Amino acid sequence: QVQLVESGGGLVQAGGSLRLSCAASGLTFSNYVMAWFRQAPGKEREFVAAISLSGTGTNYADSVKGQFTISRDNAKNTVYLQMNSLKPEDTAVYYCAAGRIGSGGYSRLYGYWGQGTQVTVSS
């Protein structure tokens, strides 16, 4: 069975950093685009970042460009999200997702999802 397990969330002060990890199993990791989405209470799930199969291509939501960095280690079946200069508006549940080539920032095109990890940024 496919599992995506996020870790690294928690409470952080504004201006601080967190590194989220998503460990994948049950799939051929290197065959999937990996992405991060987030959802704040009362809001729609929002695309954050995606990374290509080899890790050479990335795309980001405009809101996090220059602030967040997505990376992957195919040898470890893990995708990461480095979050710097965190702001209270970054508070959300962050989800890891795996999708086919071309999934991009469209949540409906991702077939596998993690359980989410809470990120809370205090003022």
Side-chain angles (χ1 to χ4, degrees):
Q1 59 272 55
V2 174
Q3 284 191 315
L4 304 177
V5 180
E6 300 100 333
S7 61
L11 177 64
V12 64
Q13 295 179 343
S17 298
L18 284 174
R19 190 193 195 199
L20 306 183
S21 298
C22 172
S25 61
L27 52 73
T28 304
F29 184 75
S30 61
N31 286 348
Y32 286 86
V33 172
M34 300 299 297
W36 291 93
F37 294 79
R38 65 186 181 186
Q39 187 168 24
K43 294 186 177 180
E44 297 288 335
R45 188 169 296 183
E46 175 189 25
F47 170 73
V48 176
I51 188 165
S52 64
L53 275 56
S54 66
T56 58
T58 59
N59 63 288
Y60 297 90
D62 288 343
S63 59
V64 304
K65 286 181 179 178
Q67 182 190 358
F68 292 1
T69 303
I70 189 170
S71 61
R72 68 191 294 164
D73 187 338
N74 286 348
K76 295 182 178 180
N77 289 354
T78 301
V79 63
Y80 306 94
L81 185 68
Q82 178 67 46
M83 305 186 295
N84 298 326
S85 301
L86 283 163
K87 299 167 286 187
E89 51 262 48
D90 295 318
T91 295
V93 177
Y94 283 71
Y95 296 92
C96 173
R100 302 288 193 180
I101 294 173
S103 294
Y106 300 98
S107 62
R108 63 183 175 85
L109 299 181
Y110 286 83
Y112 302 105
W113 294 83
Q115 81 289 346
T117 185
Q118 177 71 47
V119 172
T120 303
V121 184
S122 62
S123 301

